[in-house]
Amino acid sequence: MYNLPTNTKKWQFDIFLKKIFKKKTDAPFAQLLINVHPLPLFHVKSPIFLFYSASVRQGIVDSVKRALGDQKVKSVVICGQNGVFCGGADIREFGRQMSGPPLVPMIHDIEAANKPVVAAIEGSALGGGLELALGCHYRISHSKAKLGLPEVTLGLLPAAGGTQRLPRLIGVPAALNLITTGRHVTAAEALQLGILDHVTEHNTVDVAVKFALSVTGESLDGRRISSFSCAPLSDLDSLFEEAMLKVRGAARGAIAPVACVQAVRAAATLPYAQGMEREKELMATLFHSGQARALQYFFFAQRAVGRWSTPSGARWDTSQPRPVRKAAVIGLGTMGRGITVALAQAGLSVVAVETHAKQLMEAKKAVPSMLKRGAVRGGTTIEPDSITYSETVQAVADVDLVIEAVFEDMALKEKVFQQLSIVCKPDTLLCTNTSSLDVDHLASQTRHPELVVGMHFFAPAHVMKLLEVVYGRRSSPAAVATAMQLGKKMGKVSVAVGNCRGFAGNRMLKRYLEQAFFLLEEGATPELVDRALEEFGFPMGVFRMSDLSGLDVGWRVRKADGLADTSLTGTSARVRQGCRYSPLGDLLCEHGRFGQKTGRGWYQYDKPGGRVAKSDPWLHNFLDEYRARHGLVPRCIDQQEVLERCLFVLINEGFQILEEGIAAGPEDIDAIYVFGYGWPRHRGGPMFYADMVGLERVVERLERYHQAHPNVPYLQPSGLLRRLVANGSPPIHKWRNVIKNRNSQL
């Protein structure tokens, strides 16, 4: 055994070659191990993307060429280093001139080799890594490996033969599922599908070496996937029509999944060479698209928020989070139950407290059922005794962290925090799940305000990925770090934000909702507004979402703020605190129309609790009467105005939040809106969308709408937005240069 030289850079990856000679009296024969594993781009669990850079490709090409040209080498094993095979492309290469050998010819050369090439897969084989493995003649994997073609999540398709080889190997239906969703599969599923030839619990390379030796000299004619034909199907046209309908419905305007279906259809209907040309054409269309840019931006943005640096560049992630082994939840309504489940699923011991006997009894039935459903979906098991229930706050005396999730009422929350400050250990972290109330005020009710932070979950709390971690004026970095780390442990995307009314997400949402109400006053219908937003890519328009959440939720908040007074008449009826106000939502609630829960809201439903929204003639008559009563002449409103009015005010508020230092950067706001509010991922988030549309256009349209509606002050472009335009509208990754000198609330 001896090492062969390498021409690649050490900091990127190691390529090593080992010749293993069979010590027998017959002719020597050897096998070549080629290590192609690069360094991880980010240390994250899912998805894992690793460098497949120019130097990696060059190393593989040179090493394989040498191996195939060496008469002593009879078979080849391609493996990874440090327990990972290969996770695909270096995304950072996408934005610049590609260099080094292209991937497609490299894989073709491997597949055309006259010596057996075996892929030894450990850790992950994703994207180009799996395409490389598909070019090998055999694939052997460790049982814990993950495989997949996740390019669609970056606005692309597998363009190194993935859309052509995979359908030929495992059939069109299974390939469509994997390629259009980008999902990862376990080694066991990959074996069942036919992607793998063998799965082992032992050292994968050792098993692959032994296997490679056993197949030396055997014919490879039946091992080259590009020579396969897709398994025949009885009605191919119907299958692809159905697949396209399904993909279009799920994609909500994303073009990459549609292109994936088209590429797989080429595999099913064209010879391999023509299919590869079609794959190349489709990839060229996607590669420079705005959607690909948005998805790739968001890939990095999602990881940037976890580093939670402030606009000034100071970093908090050096703070050591405290260990949390036992947590408590106060209040077992819908949100409290979800938080309890999320904590239990994260492996914590949980004390669940509810002082109302009836609600406690309901929670004791609901939580185990939720855990059971989650275990079925995730393939996990939660110990039934990991959750204990109590009617008294005293039960939380020995926990490390408490999350308060009682009704959204300041007086009630004050009382809870006063009790917790007395009952809990002096170093227990006290967190509130409030969606908008003042975290600093709640902290002032305790003996240790530095241990109080906000943990704003989104319903359903055990499912939704977003967690806003609210940093109060006196919150310690260690307390915030602990909340951030706990969120990560629960599988959340934790975003640190400053303390203000509504924090980041709900503060922006308020402006979005108000504009939707104003559009109804001016002549739009709920159907028109929702259709425009859903065609943009939201899973639900604003009014369907309001019916789902319950109109009474916002009504209670407005009443608490002294806004929901429908007794006012004349011009006063539509003005609050000197600004335009729409009482439409308040009036509907006074009619008992709370949305799906009552079977009537902005839409009508077959019954209370129904899910299918139908246009409601009563609502349209109600709007006509309302406009007539207030002297409003309805006008024609198009979908473009709906998008500009709703989205640009939301974006403008985002710039105001950045200017005030409530969020550290545009990536934080974009992560909040994609993970918490249904903003379409293929549009990158509201701040990225502003960059794509053009900041000058956003300013121009806001100014125009403010001239038309001078009593809506937040239509005026924010100071930060104007400064960015004055600075030449720099790209989004340079906005922090303009923001960094501002005072931060973080």
Side-chain angles (χ1 to χ4, degrees), residues 213-268:
L213 296 174
S214 71
V215 297
T216 298
E218 293 185 6
S219 172
L220 298 174
D221 291 344
R223 303 303 309 180
R224 297 184 177 96
I225 299 173
S226 65
S227 66
F228 296 2
S229 296
C230 289
L233 295 165
S234 58
D235 193 345
L236 200 63
D237 289 339
S238 295
L239 184 145
F240 278 103
E241 286 175 11
E242 184 179 335
M244 190 63 81
L245 284 172
K246 181 178 179 181
V247 161
R248 288 187 188 278
R252 301 199 305 271
I255 58 176
V258 173
C260 287
V261 174
Q262 293 171 330
V264 173
R265 185 180 187 110

Side-chain angles (χ1 to χ4, degrees), residues 341 363-377 389 462:
V341 170
K364 285 182 177 180
K365 295 178 181 178
V367 169
S369 177
M370 293 162 68
L371 282 169
K372 186 175 180 181
R373 290 195 298 271
V376 171
R377 286 194 304 267
Y389 299 88
H462 60 300

Side-chain angles (χ1 to χ4, degrees), residues 502-513:
F503 316 130
N506 280 347
R507 175 174 161 178
M508 294 168 65
L509 184 70
K510 181 181 179 183
R511 304 307 187 198
Y512 170 84
L513 295 174

Side-chain angles (χ1 to χ4, degrees), residues 136-154:
C136 297
H137 305 120
Y138 300 93
R139 287 157 297 280
I140 292 176
S141 171
H142 192 273
S143 60
K144 294 183 179 179
K146 297 285 187 180
L147 299 89
L149 295 171
E151 285 86 349
V152 69
T153 64
L154 295 174

Side-chain angles (χ1 to χ4, degrees), residues 697-713:
R697 176 171 174 78
V698 175
V699 168
E700 184 270 324
R701 301 307 287 174
L702 285 171
E703 288 177 337
R704 175 180 171 180
Y705 289 124
H706 185 242
Q707 289 174 3
H709 308 283
N711 57 351
V712 184

Side-chain angles (χ1 to χ4, degrees), residues 578-599:
C579 301
R580 181 177 175 181
Y581 177 84
S582 173
L584 283 172
D586 307 329
L587 292 168
L588 285 192
C589 287
E590 288 188 352
H591 281 86
R593 297 175 69 97
F594 296 156
Q596 290 183 3
K597 66 179 73 174
T598 58

Side-chain angles (χ1 to χ4, degrees), residues 12 36-53 56 84-94 123-131 146-158 178-179 181-184 283 292 295-303 681:
Q12 290 175 312
V36 298
H37 170 54
L39 294 174
L41 185 58
F42 291 102
H43 293 284
V44 293
K45 290 184 178 179
S46 178
I48 301 173
F49 285 84
L50 308 172
F51 289 160
Y52 205 154
S53 60
V56 173
V84 181
F85 181 71
C86 185
D90 179 357
I91 302 171
R92 294 177 299 183
E93 284 191 336
F94 292 176
S124 61
L126 302 175
L130 180 55
E131 289 177 299
K146 297 285 187 180
L147 299 89
L149 295 171
E151 285 86 349
V152 69
T153 64
L154 295 174
L156 305 173
L157 55 74
L178 294 187
I179 294 171
T181 64
R183 72 182 182 93
H184 301 176
M283 180 62 165
L295 287 161
Q296 290 157 32
Y297 156 82
F298 193 74
F299 173 84
F300 291 112
Q302 181 181 343
R303 284 142 187 83
R681 189 186 295 242

